[in-house]
Amino acid sequence: AIPNAEWLYNLCATVPSVLGTLQLSLAVLSACQRDSEGEVQAALFDALGEGERAMELMFEIAPLAQSIRNNKSMTETSLRNIESGGNSGAAGGRQETLIDVDEEQRRFLREEAIEAASIAAVARAAAGMSPVDRNGPASATATHTVSRRSDKEAQKFAKKAAKRAAAALAAAKEAGAILDDEDLELIGPSKFDSDALQTEGYVFGSGGNIGLEGMTKEEIQEMQRRLAPEGTKQYYEPKGLPPGTEREYGPGYEMVTIPAPIRDQSKLHPRIDLDSAMNAQCRKAFAGTSSLNPMQSEVFDAAFHTQENLLICAPTGAGKTNVAMLTVVAHLREKGIIKNEKDPYAAYSHIGDDGGGRNSSSSQNGEGRKIVYIAPMKALAQEVVEKFSSKLKPLNVIVRELTGDMQLTRLEAESSDIIVTTPEKWDVVTRKGGDGSLSRTCGLLIIDEVHLLADERGAVIESVVARLHRLVESSQRQVRIVGLSATLPNYKDVASFLKVHPSRGLFFFGPEHRPVPLQ
């Protein structure tokens, strides 16, 4: 059927609205004049409201919006003629349907009051508050002391819902939608509480047989039978503080001493002996260390024998710096800066050296040769420079600092093997690209304390990593990223940002890997 004014008027008469049928029809007609489909739907939603019948009407009218817009006979005048009964063409061709606007408004207010009261009752039951008093909200007292934030929020929402229900009830009474106590009984707790609470999964009143979280009465009884006797502590201890926890009460305070976790040695990775795990040249970087601890041993293969991106999440003092050293030595070996004595061609590696023990083709202008270590602060950058310089001195590896306090000439930067910097300094240095930029010489990027992504300085680290990803895509050259972090709750998200493979490069270690457990 082709939509016309009579069709539109009759449809709008089926929707309860305080506007009245004529004004609602005019609003719908105006909404159909919009250009795009999204604008038409938004305007129809604003005009019709959120009721179930309103939604049905919106989905019925929206596909016909263009036909309504193109129908020249569907105007404000034709709708007003239908309202006043002056449409002579409709008088003989249809049966008149008279709509009492006042009655529709009363029905709308009555339904609104019932819905608001139902929401208020559910909210009060969820908050553990008593039923609504018919004489007012004065009896809204809690049945238990609020001790959790969620309880307080539930009671706050219940009070707001009670105010909205009272306002809706007053409006319905004023319009004559609710006349006496019998009508009031229809929206009281005895009418809707059991149905509403059954839907929400709560127990209300003494005669409730609904169950918690949708459980039946039999399921609740079975759960009660499985509970330990009253006063049993063993049942609750696994979900609370660990055994051995001591509490000491003082004036105005409580001190809780939690014992250090016991390390299960059988679950830790066996220690790796460095003499058998790497050649003599690489071994020089770990002088004074005979073996790796369990955390370092678990990461060893991924750090030393692959070029995978890594994210190491471990507690402070677990040995993450040595993991960074493993990746550094692996990179120096890969680029030929550390000679592999097992290589059959190692005897000829001095040919073409520039006198400093390096092959000229891989030193000063080689892309991806340098290592960049980003420390969170200048003081830590200085500490890393001192530690790496002493460790790598037997290998003739040059480590230099590039921070706001320590500038490098172009020659010094080009001759460095490892540059230790801060996020802000490296961000400034790498903003200008080009073939001669330092960013193109970086082949290994180590970011210490990567959990600072959540800090106010996190945007700088994010821009550095994003710029590096863009460089890798444009140059089609691999740059390894190693992130070192304290324990993170969302370490999988950080690994995804750093493009770390979740099964090959992501390592998460708990507090049992602390060398000295915390109490």
Side-chain angles (χ1 to χ4, degrees):
I2 300 177
N4 52 30
E6 179 185 351
W7 169 83
L8 179 61
Y9 186 89
N10 289 335
L11 276 181
C12 293
T14 63
V15 179
S17 174
V18 295
L19 296 177
T21 305
L22 176 60
Q23 296 300 324
L24 183 60
S25 303
L26 294 176
V28 170
L29 180 61
S30 175
C32 293
Q33 306 303 317
R34 305 298 177 93
D35 295 331
S36 66
E37 182 179 354
E39 292 178 351
V40 170
Q41 292 182 358
L44 286 174
F45 183 81
D46 293 339
L48 296 172
E50 303 178 359
E52 180 179 355
R53 176 55 185 160
M55 292 293 102
E56 295 176 357
L57 194 61
M58 186 183 73
F59 290 121
E60 184 176 353
I61 294 177
L64 302 174
Q66 185 174 0
S67 300
I68 295 174
R69 188 165 55 248
N70 296 335
N71 191 346
K72 302 301 181 183
S73 64
M74 192 177 296
T75 60
E76 179 180 350
T77 303
S78 61
L79 291 173
R80 290 188 180 278
N81 289 338
I82 296 175
E83 173 75 11
S84 60
N87 190 346
S88 58
R94 68 176 176 92
Q95 183 179 0
E96 294 289 345
T97 302
L98 300 179
I99 303 296
D100 189 341
V101 177
D102 293 337
E103 180 61 29
E104 288 294 326
Q105 182 176 1
R106 286 193 293 270
R107 185 166 67 87
F108 173 78
L109 292 175
R110 182 186 182 86
E111 293 177 354
E112 189 178 50
I114 293 175
E115 182 180 2
S118 178
I119 294 174
V122 172
R124 296 179 69 82
M129 301 169 69
S130 62
V132 181
D133 195 306
R134 293 182 185 178
N135 297 325
S139 62
T141 56
T143 59
H144 62 279
T145 303
V146 176
S147 59
R148 295 180 299 177
R149 182 178 179 182
S150 58
D151 294 335
K152 294 181 180 179
E153 291 177 351
Q155 286 201 4
K156 185 177 180 181
F157 176 77
K159 291 178 181 178
K160 289 183 178 180
K163 291 181 180 179
R164 287 194 293 266
L169 178 61
K173 284 184 176 180
E174 184 178 358
I178 297 174
L179 301 177
D180 50 23
D181 291 341
E182 292 183 359
D183 284 345
L184 188 61
E185 182 71 20
L186 295 177
I187 67 168
S190 61
K191 172 65 178 176
F192 58 79
D193 280 353
S194 59
D195 296 336
L197 296 176
Q198 184 174 8
T199 302
E200 296 297 328
Y202 295 107
V203 175
F204 186 79
S206 59
N209 59 353
I210 309 303
L212 298 174
E213 301 295 336
M215 296 173 60
T216 64
K217 183 177 180 180
E218 290 75 14
E219 290 173 337
I220 291 181
Q221 292 175 351
E222 177 63 24
M223 179 190 68
Q224 291 174 341
R225 283 193 293 268
R226 293 197 303 265
L227 292 177
E230 183 178 357
T232 303
K233 296 182 179 180
Q234 185 177 1
Y235 178 80
Y236 299 98
E237 286 179 351
K239 293 186 177 181
L241 297 175
T245 300
E246 297 179 357
R247 297 176 181 269
E248 180 180 345
Y249 297 92
Y253 73 92
E254 175 187 1
M255 184 173 67
V256 181
T257 304
I258 302 175
I262 301 175
R263 301 176 64 177
D264 187 355
Q265 298 294 333
S266 63
K267 295 183 179 180
L268 300 179
H269 195 284
R271 289 176 173 267
I272 291 180
D273 182 65
L274 290 178
D275 291 332
S276 59
M278 56 181 62
N279 60 48
Q281 283 292 101
C282 297
R283 184 69 178 83
K284 294 178 181 179
F286 296 91
T289 303
S290 60
S291 63
L292 301 177
N293 65 26
M295 186 276 288
Q296 298 162 353
S297 300
E298 186 171 342
V299 183
F300 177 77
D301 285 334
F304 195 70
H305 293 303
T306 71
Q307 292 299 314
E308 287 282 346
N309 291 348
L310 300 179
L311 174 60
I312 314 298
C313 300
T316 302
K320 296 189 291 292
T321 306
N322 267 356
V323 173
M325 181 63 74
L326 287 173
T327 62
V328 167
V329 173
H331 180 81
L332 296 176
R333 180 197 60 201
E334 182 73 18
K335 297 301 178 182
I337 300 174
I338 296 179
K339 296 180 176 59
N340 186 358
E341 295 178 343
K342 296 183 180 180
D343 186 354
Y345 300 99
Y348 308 99
S349 59
H350 65 282
I351 301 176
D353 279 3
D354 56 5
R358 284 184 183 78
N359 190 290
S360 59
S361 63
S362 63
S363 61
Q364 303 193 1
N365 294 322
E367 286 191 350
R369 185 184 67 85
K370 294 188 187 303
I371 300 170
V372 177
Y373 190 108
I374 296 181
M377 295 180 295
K378 289 184 288 186
L380 292 178
Q382 296 172 358
E383 183 181 336
V384 171
V385 169
E386 294 176 359
K387 185 171 185 177
F388 277 35
S389 296
S390 62
K391 291 280 188 180
L392 299 173
K393 185 176 180 180
L395 300 174
N396 297 323
V397 174
I398 301 174
V399 184
R400 288 196 173 100
E401 176 186 349
L402 178 60
T403 60
D405 298 339
M406 186 68 65
Q407 302 294 329
L408 297 178
T409 64
R410 186 176 184 84
L411 182 60
E412 289 175 335
E414 289 177 349
S415 62
S416 301
D417 298 308
I418 302 176
I419 295 178
V420 183
T421 182
T422 58
E424 289 78 10
K425 187 64 177 180
W426 189 248
D427 180 36
V428 173
V429 169
T430 56
R431 283 186 181 182
K432 183 178 180 181
D435 295 335
S437 65
L438 279 177
S439 59
R440 287 192 172 273
T441 64
C442 175
L444 171 61
L445 177 67
I446 302 174
I447 306 176
D448 199 1
E449 309 292 349
V450 74
H451 57 267
L452 293 177
L453 276 168
D455 194 63
E456 58 183 7
R457 302 168 63 197
V460 181
I461 301 176
E462 185 176 352
S463 64
V464 167
V465 175
R467 192 175 297 126
L468 182 61
H469 288 331
R470 176 59 183 161
L471 175 64
V472 171
E473 292 175 359
S474 60
S475 64
Q476 294 298 306
R477 176 177 59 84
Q478 181 185 8
V479 179
R480 190 182 193 186
I481 300 178
V482 176
L484 307 177
S485 169
T487 52
L488 289 171
N490 59 332
Y491 56 90
K492 292 183 180 179
D493 296 333
V494 178
S496 176
F497 171 66
L498 297 178
K499 294 188 177 181
V500 174
H501 194 281
S503 62
R504 298 195 299 264
L506 177 58
F507 295 90
F508 181 84
F509 301 95
E512 67 275 6
H513 288 273
R514 285 183 179 272
V516 180
L518 293 181
Q519 175 173 304

